Amino acid sequence: MTSSTFIILSAAVFLGAFVSGLAGFAFSAVAGALLLHVLPPTEAVPLMMACSVAVQATNLWALRDSIAWKESLTLVIGGVLGAPLAIWLLQIADARILKEGFGALIAIYAAYMLLRPSLTHLNRMTRNRNVMIGFGGGLVGGLTAMPGALPTIWCDLNGVPKAQQRGLVQPFIAVMQIFSLVLMLSRQQLSPNIVSEFAYSLPALAAGVCLGIFAFRNVQDATFRRTILVLLLFSGVALIV
């Protein structure tokens, strides 16, 4: 690995880990903007998944007092059912159109909510609806590597406070990322360079996620919500361009 590649790798992982530590998602959207310029997709995508799993594990430990395992189970059940459908769709449909379509939807939603922040909350979160949202999250995650986007929007629509939102969505994202990695391992789709690249990225990953979690604990709910919407907007645009 050249020194320039190492610097870009470290910068990408640090920024992605910081954002994910702060918001709970969007590691791939942020890190991928840099990593995909220096690594082929066959290496960048599984590397981002591995780093994201490490970030999610750190988030789960750091926020363990607010993690709602029982409530998140409904999202996880739906997500595990939705992910295999995404794999099937990738084989028969145009992945680019699916990604761009979803990117446009979340970008429009985020932009609208940033302009109309006083919209009345739905307050309609139930177990059955959470299973459906989890199913959609697993489906979208398999197509875009962003399983947390749909559950995050669902929490925002229902006015869920930041700590409760992280406690609900964080386990879901972790399970979906691990599930995706297992599927890739089962198909022997991982590059042999992943282990060394992951090792090189660990210092930047640790620094980024620790700073992100510190920022999360010190940010107000209103600021946290605006941050989430900005990241959703950025993620949506990143899927389109």
Side-chain angles (χ1 to χ4, degrees), residues 11 19 26 28 34 60 67-68 70 79 87 93 101 109 133 140 157 222:
V19 168
S28 297
L34 292 175
L60 287 173
I67 297 299
K70 184 177 180 181
I87 295 174
Y109 168 82
I133 295 299
V140 168
L157 284 172

Side-chain angles (χ1 to χ4, degrees), residues 98-165:
L98 294 173
K99 290 180 180 181
E100 290 179 356
F102 178 70
L105 287 176
I106 64 173
I108 291 171
Y109 168 82
Y112 178 78
M113 295 302 288
L114 283 167
L115 295 173
R116 293 286 303 275
S118 60
L119 189 68
T120 302
H121 295 138
L122 295 177
N123 295 320
R124 294 180 180 177
M125 187 173 285
T126 64
R127 289 185 178 180
N128 290 338
R129 291 191 178 103
N130 282 359
V131 171
M132 294 175 61
I133 295 299
F135 178 85
L139 176 61
V140 168
L143 297 172
T144 67
M146 291 196 304
L150 196 59
T152 298
I153 291 174
W154 179 238
C155 288
D156 181 63
L157 284 172
N158 284 276
V160 178
K162 68 168 190 175
Q164 185 180 345
Q165 176 178 320

Side-chain angles (χ1 to χ4, degrees), residues 13 64 66 94 121 126 136 143 150 174 191 200 220 225 228:
V13 170
R64 59 191 179 278
S66 60
D94 190 327
H121 295 138
T126 64
L143 297 172
L150 196 59
S191 166
Y200 284 128
Q220 298 296 320
R225 181 176 183 272
I228 291 294

